[in-house]
Amino acid sequence: MKAEPQVERLQLPGAVPGGASSLADRTAKYFGVIAVAYPCVLVIAELTTTFADPRIGMGIHTALLSVILLQASLDDNSTPRGFLLALSLTPLVRILSLSLPLQDVEIIYWYAAVAVPLLIATVVVARMIGLGRRELGLTAGHLPTQLLIGISGIALGGIEYLILSPEPLVDDFSWVVILLPALILFVGTGFMEEFLFRGVMQATAQESLGRFAVLYV
């Protein structure tokens, strides 16, 4: 019998055996570098803002935001791009709080002034990534569990108050006086932070980090 000719497979330049799995490995490593490097820079920026010079800290935050957005615009992989867009919101929080001209504004209204543009930016990022209500956690779940978690915030808030001993935001403890500040804090810090971190950022990080995304965010 005539032997079948041996056909040698051609390998294109730059091709890697097991292309799909190799690409997935490279994407995972690339995502891992992003997930570690950028938060480290964020920590440096926060430490600089708190213990050194806020202007230098804001400069680091601004540079970090620029690099993240540039990388997101050049990246053709949907998973890192979505995570990068979500991660860009973290330096934006500090940039808004430090750059807005609020010196002559009462402290309680600072929260509202920062929360409004940040909420708009977060909604825009969520729409760009294609996150729905379910991915963002904006759906009703197991009501007793949700109520238990909500009530636990009272105890945690009391502990935080004892640790920080903050100055009071209002002079008179009456419903008329505290209603607006309470609403601003509820939306501007409570909902806004959960929507950003536990909604947009955790949803994008979970694709590659799995359960570790909860701790990471």
Side-chain angles (χ1 to χ4, degrees):
M1 295 179 62
K2 186 176 180 181
E4 293 292 331
Q6 297 294 322
V7 180
E8 184 178 355
R9 292 182 177 271
L10 294 178
Q11 185 171 334
L12 297 177
V16 180
S21 60
S22 299
L23 178 60
D25 291 341
R26 290 199 302 271
T27 301
K29 292 179 181 178
Y30 167 65
F31 188 90
V33 171
I34 292 174
V36 173
Y38 286 154
C40 288
V41 178
L42 193 68
V43 169
I44 293 173
E46 284 295 287
L47 292 175
T48 304
T49 300
T50 305
F51 298 108
D53 190 335
R55 293 170 296 182
I56 298 176
M58 190 173 73
I60 299 174
H61 278 295
T62 304
L64 178 61
L65 175 63
S66 302
V67 171
I68 292 175
L69 291 178
L70 178 62
Q71 188 170 0
S73 66
L74 298 176
D75 202 310
D76 58 355
N77 189 296
S78 59
T79 299
R81 186 194 302 122
F83 180 70
L84 284 167
L85 288 173
L87 193 62
S88 69
L89 296 169
T90 50
L92 186 61
V93 174
R94 184 61 73 198
I95 292 172
L96 287 172
S97 64
L98 291 176
S99 61
L100 292 177
L102 302 174
Q103 290 79 5
D104 299 326
V105 178
E106 291 184 34
I107 185 66
I108 187 61
Y109 298 112
W110 283 42
Y111 298 101
V114 173
V116 170
L118 188 60
L119 179 60
I120 295 173
T122 306
V123 171
V124 170
V125 167
R127 290 179 64 87
M128 291 177 65
I129 300 173
L131 298 176
R133 289 176 57 196
R134 183 174 298 276
E135 291 86 0
L136 294 171
L138 298 177
T139 55
H142 189 251
L143 186 58
T145 303
Q146 291 181 331
L147 288 175
L148 181 62
I149 293 173
I151 293 173
S152 69
I154 299 175
L156 294 174
I159 294 172
E160 184 177 7
Y161 176 81
L162 293 176
I163 294 173
L164 299 177
S165 299
E167 294 292 329
L169 295 176
V170 294
D171 298 326
D172 184 16
F173 194 71
S174 63
W175 285 109
V176 177
V177 176
I178 69 173
L179 185 59
L180 182 59
L183 182 62
I184 291 175
L185 291 177
F186 176 77
V187 176
T189 60
F191 174 78
M192 182 63 249
E193 290 183 4
E194 295 303 313
F195 181 54
L196 193 165
F197 291 100
R198 292 300 169 195
V200 176
M201 188 172 295
Q202 185 168 310
T204 56
Q206 199 155 3
E207 293 184 19
S208 294
L209 299 180
R211 294 182 178 180
F212 181 68
V214 176
L215 297 175
Y216 175 81
V217 171

